[in-house]
Amino acid sequence: MPRGVPRRTALRLLGGATVAGGLLAMSSPMASARRDWKPVAEAVRREYLWAWQHYVERALGADHIKPISGGREDFFVEGHSIGLSLVEAVDTLWLMEADAEVQQAVQWIKDNLSFDVDAPFQVFETNIRMVGGLASAYHCTGDQRLLELAVDVADRLLPAFTESPTGLPYRYVNLATGAVSVPETNIVEIGTYIAEFGVLSEWTGDRRYFDLAKQAMRVAFDKRTELGLLPHDIHAETGEWRNRQATVGPPGDSYYEYLWDGYVLFGDEELRQWYDTLTDAILAHQAERHQNLLWFPQVDAFTGDVLSRDQSVLAAFYAGLLGESGRLTEGRAYHDAFNIVQDEFGVIPTSVDYSTMSATDRSNALRPEFADSAFMLWLATGDEIFRERANLHFENMLKTSKTTYGFASLADVTANPPSQEDTCPGYWWSEQMKYYWLLFSDAQRFDYQNNYLSTEANVLRGARR
Ligand code: DMJ
């Protein structure tokens, strides 16, 4: 490196480099050259089916497999798994044309899955993972029983909305009794339903799902500040904001995503107007350039003052959302910024302070958002650079997370080698492996022109049966 050139600047000039003692792959300066991606697609499928086999042998029906020990782990309720990873996997297996595995998973669901559980379930997670997982499994396979189960669990979530005086859903509902709890919520957990609920309305003819989901989004939108921003915490019973901080990361992220998605899926112009209004305000009052990179700090929604320059890895999804909603310049720029983080750390830490490019949380729970936005931007532009970036994401995951019985979350991405945790989140089965597969395989069963993937990457449009 020439003297006097700061390391990060040099990396940027070179088009990317590596950290962690040379352990991780480098991004290529030839990023836009075309290449044969089929071997990468085959590797993605091979790794996925290898992990699936271990899940079946060691943890069938568990919410999570513990990939290091081969044990089982619950997600929603301690002591009561409901097959989360399996439900998350069905559409990915189907897109990979792993039909024996699809049949095995669907059979397990038919024989075992019951939502008659006397325990509080988190409404947001149950919706994006279980309603969405079953809805996408139905969309892919056409099996009516999967739709019935999606409707069953969605119906059990409805008291969270209907019992609330504002229409903003409570955070928890007991699936057996309908008892609701925890009104202290946030805009993600009140506003990430319209995709799953909307397709149920479409498929069943019952408008209630769509209407309840949209009404909750409206309550939050109507309370935007004079700057047009939304604080992220809100109270379901009073409708009052509980804080002042606006963020495109959690817990703000998928509220914005589902405004756009509601428009894309159902042609709802009002949702599009809400999305445009909020996005214009975010770009005006939240965007910040730092060392020629675009970032979205947390700001005070009432004054616009910057509160924190921490950037959650989950916020990387926003690059794709900006791109797909027609803000390609900003979407690319934000992906470029996260690409610098990938080049700097290999695996992107859970959060970084971009003003110092230092990790403020060194873990990474197999987060898919960088690959998510690479996929969305590739769909929008066809630019090979996004495949290159996603390929590096995949390679780095293989090098750091692969373990005895599957893929493990990382406790510290800066350790050499990165230290692993004995857990694999359910979304791993639905998100990044699907994005990689769709990016690299030219999948026969996917309509690349007309499709929709939910915030959990559940395919609710575009399955070609
Ligand atoms: C997933 O469950 C969904 O993408 C959700 O919207 C937030 N992020 C996790 C994965 O990181």
Side-chain angles (χ1 to χ4, degrees), residues 124-125 128-129 192 253-254 257 314 365-369 372 427 431 435 455-457:
F124 159 73
E125 296 289 8
I128 65 169
R129 296 166 185 248
T192 312
D253 44 6
S254 51
E257 183 179 2
L314 280 82
L366 282 163
R367 292 292 176 182
E369 284 78 9
D372 175 354
Y427 53 76
E431 293 213 44
Y435 301 134
T455 192
E456 191 77 356

